[in-house]
Amino acid sequence: MDRGMDIEKIEISRFPLKHEVFTRKKEIGDRLAAMRDSRRRFEADALRRRHRRNFVWVSAVVAAVVAVALFMLKVVTVTGSAGNGTVMSLPCGSTVCVAAGGEISYRPHLWNMALRRVELDGAARFSVEKGKGTFVVITDYGQVTVHGTEFEVSEQTDKMIVKCFKGCVEVTADSPDAPSVMLQAGEEVEVGKTGVSEPAVMLCEDDDNEDGDDIPELLNYNREELANVVAEIEHYFGVTVGNKWLCDGVTYTGVFYPKDMDLTLEVVFRSCGFDYTLKDGKVVLHRIE
Amino acid sequence: MEDAIKWSDITEGRECAYRLLYERFSDLLYGYGMKIVADEAMVVDAIQSLFMNIFEKRKRLAAPGSVAAYLCRSLKNILINEMNSVAVRRRDEYNDASVGDYDFELELDAECAMIANENERERYRLFQEELNKLSRQQREMLYLRYYKGLEIEEIAKILDVSKRTVYNTTNNAIARLRENKVLTQYFSNEAMIMLLCLCDFYVF
């Protein structure tokens, strides 16, 4: 077959054709080489521009992430003032009374993401509202995980004391293998470097106690019958309250200052929508018109 | 013909591969293009476009089965598109052009050949006449097969027909040329014998 083709080719090629010689072959070849060279330079420039643009984008994204992280991790610190300490509300509505010299810090934006973590240095009393995420108090000696309610954490020289007034809290020492201890209402534990002690019954500050020195700085109430709070007012301040029937069916959520009658009356009754008069050891309630 | 060119070098943009590709195939493309459209400027532009297209689209190009067939078919497409554009413009202006048609004329170069006498000149004239009587497809296949030495399979790819069609059409073209007794004398006896053998061999 090939031999046949060769013979035909030989015979036919004895008749040469016009327009078979590419006279501009070298010129066009050189032009194509120059065009390829130019195209390569253009592609290299485009690649560099793309890399530069990508770098700018990546930098912008990194800067944005850092800014958001800094914003989210912004820390709010509150120090307890001398005397009665400082009472403050946390973003979830929980209240905390930071004792004089104590300090708490938390990240409010993480708080909104259900990370309710408070770092404590010193002593503070917490009244925890239900909310998203577990409420955790972190100290140098361990952490207290709240399972609902009111407790006190106090850092001392070489230990931490946790007292639970209502509900229960979970106490974990800051050591790798230390087991957690569930603390019930009315119990207290000591947390040291070695772990958590056995829960013990505490001398409850809310119990009847005639000794003025043991009167607590602050009490917290959560949807408590106002009549019961009024009874506490009469108990702590030695006054009588008139028109108690107005308290029927009313509940109180908030703080109570056992050592400051004026402040307590103002906070408790005003927040419940009552006006009052105080005269000769008698408090008379009125509805605010 | 194309063994030395590694297509992977083309897709990677190696300059030496592009120079080799151009060196190997530019003559083939020029001759083929000039048969499709007898306009050197258009053919040269088409060859430039073809090689630059290959370079610019190199990363997306798959390796062709035959580089010669791929280049010829691509050049033909470029030329036909260009001819169509010109024809459309001309039709708009003069209302008399046909779109996308080409003749593929094979014009013998009597000046290039060493013509010794009047008899040989006459044979040239007769061969040209016989070539002109062939169909366009016959001329195109004859040209690619016998002037450019492409394989049957490559011609089939370029013209988008079956291999059998290429066999039959080229054989018919040769047989038709041989019908002319003056031309028959011009072909050698050996060639005639081989042609007869080929006609039998190509029957599927």
Side-chain angles (χ1 to χ4, degrees):
Chain A
M1 188 168 102
D2 290 342
R3 193 168 165 226
M5 194 279 284
D6 288 343
I7 291 165
E8 289 299 341
K9 186 178 178 183
I10 291 164
E11 298 302 330
I12 290 177
S13 62
R14 288 171 70 170
F15 300 94
L17 296 172
K18 285 185 177 177
H19 311 302
E20 283 295 296
V21 181
F22 189 9
T23 52
R24 296 173 63 195
K25 181 175 179 177
K26 186 174 183 317
E27 174 201 336
I28 300 301
D30 292 342
R31 189 184 298 171
L32 281 168
M35 288 164 76
R36 283 194 297 269
D37 188 45
S38 166
R39 183 74 194 175
R40 281 193 188 93
R41 279 202 299 273
F42 174 79
E43 286 175 359
D45 285 347
L47 192 64
R48 269 196 295 276
R49 280 197 300 274
R50 194 159 63 241
H51 284 168
R52 205 174 303 139
R53 200 162 51 237
N54 288 347
F55 176 76
V56 169
W57 269 107
V58 170
S59 303
V61 168
V62 168
V65 168
V66 169
V68 169
L70 288 175
F71 175 73
M72 296 299 286
L73 297 176
K74 182 186 168 193
V75 176
V76 172
T77 301
V78 177
T79 307
S81 56
N84 292 337
T86 301
V87 179
M88 62 165 295
S89 291
L90 294 168
C92 62
S94 303
T95 54
V96 53
C97 177
V98 186
E103 182 179 287
I104 65 161
S105 54
Y106 64 97
R107 294 177 170 83
H109 299 292
L110 292 183
W111 206 279
N112 294 334
M113 295 167 66
L115 288 169
R116 300 198 293 167
R117 297 161 69 92
V118 175
E119 290 175 22
L120 170 66
D121 182 16
R125 187 162 178 166
F126 297 85
S127 178
V128 178
E129 292 290 320
K130 284 185 180 176
K132 277 187 184 175
T134 308
F135 191 103
V136 179
V137 179
I138 300 167
T139 73
D140 291 340
Y141 298 97
Q143 68 179 42
V144 180
T145 305
V146 178
H147 292 275
T149 202
E150 187 179 330
F151 62 99
E152 185 178 283
V153 182
S154 171
E155 271 192 327
Q156 298 184 3
T157 312
D158 56 351
K159 63 185 178 186
M160 167 179 81
I161 296 174
V162 181
K163 296 178 180 176
C164 181
F165 300 104
K166 287 182 183 174
C168 62
V169 294
E170 183 181 351
V171 183
T172 310
D174 188 24
S175 58
D177 299 322
S180 299
V181 172
M182 292 296 289
L183 199 57
Q184 304 299 327
E187 292 181 335
E188 67 179 25
V189 288
E190 288 186 7
V191 185
K193 290 293 181 190
T194 54
V196 185
S197 68
E198 283 295 313
V201 176
M202 68 173 176
L203 296 172
C204 184
E205 292 164 351
D206 285 347
D207 291 344
D208 288 343
N209 193 330
E210 298 304 325
D211 186 354
D213 290 339
D214 293 331
I215 293 174
E217 295 287 341
L218 184 76
L219 293 176
N220 277 287
Y221 292 100
N222 186 13
R223 287 191 281 278
E224 186 67 52
E225 292 286 336
L226 183 59
N228 294 338
V229 181
V230 167
E232 290 295 294
I233 289 172
E234 289 176 332
H235 165 69
Y236 275 105
F237 304 122
V239 294
T240 56
V241 178
N243 291 341
K244 283 183 195 169
W245 58 273
L246 288 172
C247 303
D248 291 345
V250 179
T251 58
Y252 173 67
T253 298
V255 293
F256 184 106
Y257 302 94
K259 293 181 178 177
D260 189 335
M261 182 178 69
D262 291 337
L263 182 59
T264 300
L265 295 177
E266 184 73 16
V267 168
V268 172
F269 292 134
R270 296 284 185 201
S271 66
C272 291
F274 296 123
D275 199 358
Y276 66 94
T277 55
L278 173 61
K279 191 174 181 182
D280 300 331
K282 185 169 183 179
V283 179
V284 180
L285 295 179
H286 312 280
R287 284 193 193 280
I288 296 175
E289 296 298 331
Chain B
M1 193 172 187
E2 65 212 41
D3 290 345
I5 294 176
K6 282 174 66 182
W7 195 255
S8 59
D9 290 343
I10 295 291
T11 55
E12 287 166 14
R14 294 184 194 281
E15 181 60 23
C16 57
Y18 281 90
R19 286 182 187 275
L20 188 60
L21 187 74
Y22 179 78
E23 188 62 34
R24 289 279 167 83
F25 294 104
S26 57
D27 289 326
L28 163 67
L29 294 173
Y30 178 79
Y32 183 54
M34 287 299 288
K35 304 302 172 293
I36 295 172
V37 51
D39 181 337
E40 184 174 14
M42 190 186 287
V43 172
V44 169
D45 284 349
I47 290 173
Q48 274 191 185
S49 297
L50 171 60
F51 280 98
M52 280 313 291
N53 279 346
I54 290 173
F55 181 73
E56 285 171 3
K57 296 174 182 172
R58 61 190 181 278
K59 288 171 187 167
R60 301 192 297 273
L61 287 180
S66 160
V67 176
Y70 169 73
L71 292 175
C72 285
R73 179 148 191 179
S74 301
L75 181 76
K76 186 176 175 179
N77 289 339
I78 293 171
L79 285 172
I80 288 175
N81 285 339
E82 183 59 26
M83 287 162 65
N84 284 344
S85 303
V86 171
V88 167
R89 283 199 298 271
R90 196 172 297 162
R91 187 180 58 192
D92 291 343
E93 288 178 27
Y94 305 109
N95 202 25
D96 64 349
S98 57
V99 175
D101 213 5
Y102 67 97
D103 288 335
F104 210 88
E105 288 183 6
L106 296 178
E107 196 177 348
L108 297 181
D109 191 354
E111 291 176 7
C112 185
M114 303 294 284
I115 298 175
N117 52 47
E118 194 58 35
N119 285 343
E120 202 165 346
R121 192 182 303 279
E122 178 62 11
R123 286 191 193 97
Y124 259 80
R125 194 185 61 75
L126 285 172
F127 189 60
Q128 181 70 71
E129 273 185 15
E130 292 302 320
L131 282 178
N132 292 345
K133 287 177 188 169
L134 297 177
S135 70
R136 183 189 75 183
Q137 193 179 51
Q138 283 176 322
R139 285 196 298 270
E140 193 166 353
M141 288 183 185
L142 213 59
Y143 174 77
L144 292 171
R145 179 78 175 136
Y146 296 115
Y147 278 96
K148 295 303 178 186
L150 297 189
E151 297 295 330
I152 298 290
E153 194 172 351
E154 291 175 319
I155 297 169
K157 281 181 181 170
I158 294 170
L159 300 180
D160 198 19
V161 294
S162 68
K163 284 194 284 186
R164 179 174 181 147
T165 303
V166 178
Y167 283 128
N168 292 342
T169 307
T170 50
N171 285 341
N172 288 339
I174 290 292
R176 186 162 177 176
L177 288 176
R178 296 180 62 77
E179 284 173 5
N180 188 305
K181 287 195 168 45
V182 180
L183 279 177
T184 307
Q185 292 168 7
Y186 196 82
F187 284 96
S188 66
N189 287 332
E190 190 182 3
M192 287 181 68
I193 293 164
M194 289 305 300
L195 264 178
L196 291 172
C197 293
L198 285 173
C199 289
D200 293 335
F201 186 79
Y202 287 150
V203 173
F204 289 88

